[in-house]
Amino acid sequence: MSRTEIDTAASDLLEAERSRRQIGLLTLRHPEMTLDDAYGIQSAQMALKLAQGRRIIGWKIGLTSKAMQDALGIATPDSGVLYDDMLFHDGARVPAGRFIQPRIEAEIAFVMKAPLKGKVTRDEVLAATGHVTPALEILDTRILRADPVTGQARRICDTVSDNAANAGIVLGPARHAPGALDLRWVGAIVTSGDQVVATGLGAAVLNDPVTGLVWLAHRMAEYGQRIEAGQVVLSGSFIGPVECPPGTRIHADFGPFGSIGVTFD
């Protein structure tokens, strides 16, 4: 894709976010687009958001389960950017109309005390982590999930261009030392209202949530970026996305690890 095409796509996505009106699939508009193009669109949005006064508070890792990778025909996760206006805290109420088609996923968040860049080891990730905490990721799609004419579903390049479908993050109050628990066995029971809608374990995230940060540090270095001290990293979901239409009340019980909730007005 040309620089002009990348910048136009980035502007279109930001306008979709502002107006709450989705755009068509970028992979139909640009059938030749690559993952580098998609991350270029994501970076172009980042520049525009920073110019508007937004602040980067961290990163998200997505597509970490084998089932999701197989469904999209890929063999790698993806990543997106967390901005300061995306942050919600435990018990928050999301105003009606804030998002287009919100969904949530349950995750383990890593809060960093030191930067990470390039080829790092699992031990280096743990050493750079200040604490881990329960989190919910709020997903949204500024791009249609499927084209109404052809029926084509979003592809990996659409998702990456759309900031890996990220829209918000809800952080829990609990704090745990990163090496104190086997994060593969940290899981959650997620309820919508009074109904259990999902359960899962951290092992669903690349067999170890820490592995996601190893991957992210390496991927970011390829684009001249790094994970900074003080930033939050969502390590990847261990449940499938849960739809959150208006009136949805979500609670995620992580057992001894903590709990977290959010309501969509």
Side-chain angles (χ1 to χ4, degrees):
M1 292 174 62
S2 69
R3 182 73 253 174
T4 298
E5 290 171 332
I6 286 173
D7 289 342
T8 297
S11 296
D12 289 349
L13 284 164
L14 290 184
E15 174 57 23
E17 181 180 55
R18 186 199 66 79
S19 67
R20 312 291 189 262
R21 297 185 64 180
Q22 294 170 315
I23 65 172
L25 274 63
L26 292 175
T27 51
L28 284 178
R29 187 193 299 184
H30 303 288
E32 78 289 352
M33 76 182 298
T34 65
L35 265 181
D36 283 340
D37 293 329
Y39 279 113
I41 294 168
Q42 191 182 113
S43 294
Q45 291 176 75
M46 185 192 308
L48 292 170
K49 281 182 174 281
L50 294 176
Q52 294 168 359
R54 296 272 61 85
R55 180 173 56 88
I56 295 172
I57 62 167
W59 310 87
K60 69 148 287 185
I61 307 167
L63 301 180
T64 50
S65 73
K66 189 175 188 305
M68 287 299 294
Q69 290 181 5
D70 288 348
L72 288 173
I74 60 169
T76 182
D78 69 355
S79 66
V81 191
L82 304 177
Y83 298 97
D84 56 337
D85 61 339
M86 294 178 170
L87 180 62
F88 296 87
H89 293 286
D90 180 34
R93 302 188 74 95
V94 178
R98 170 68 187 271
F99 302 118
I100 302 171
Q101 294 176 336
R103 299 179 289 170
I104 64 95
E105 293 179 334
E107 312 196 16
I108 298 168
F110 289 65
V111 182
M112 312 309 297
K113 65 180 181 181
L116 283 175
K117 182 178 181 179
K119 292 185 177 181
V120 298
T121 66
R122 184 180 189 278
D123 287 343
E124 287 171 332
V125 169
L126 293 175
T129 302
H131 66 271
V132 289
T133 185
L136 296 173
E137 180 181 1
I138 302 175
L139 304 173
D140 202 11
T141 51
R142 280 68 58 170
I143 295 177
L144 292 170
R145 295 186 193 177
D147 179 67
V149 177
T150 65
Q152 177 180 310
R154 284 178 305 157
R155 295 177 176 171
I156 181 64
C157 289
D158 294 297
T159 302
V160 168
S161 299
D162 192 19
N163 197 29
N166 180 255
I169 171 177
V170 187
L171 286 181
R175 295 187 173 198
H176 303 274
L181 298 165
D182 182 349
L183 297 178
R184 297 173 68 250
W185 285 98
V186 171
I189 302 168
V190 180
T191 57
S192 177
D194 296 323
Q195 181 178 7
V196 173
V197 292
T199 61
L201 287 174
V205 180
L206 301 172
N207 196 36
D208 181 354
V210 180
T211 303
L213 279 78
V214 173
W215 172 85
L216 180 64
H218 187 204
R219 189 212 66 76
M220 289 179 64
E222 295 176 347
Y223 293 92
Q225 302 167 334
R226 73 175 188 175
I227 304 168
E228 300 289 353
Q231 291 185 338
V232 179
V233 180
L234 289 175
S235 57
S237 178
F238 48 75
I239 66 168
V242 177
E243 300 285 348
C244 294
T248 300
R249 176 170 50 87
I250 295 292
H251 182 261
D253 180 358
F254 285 73
F257 195 67
S259 63
I260 190 168
V262 66
T263 299
F264 292 82
D265 289 338

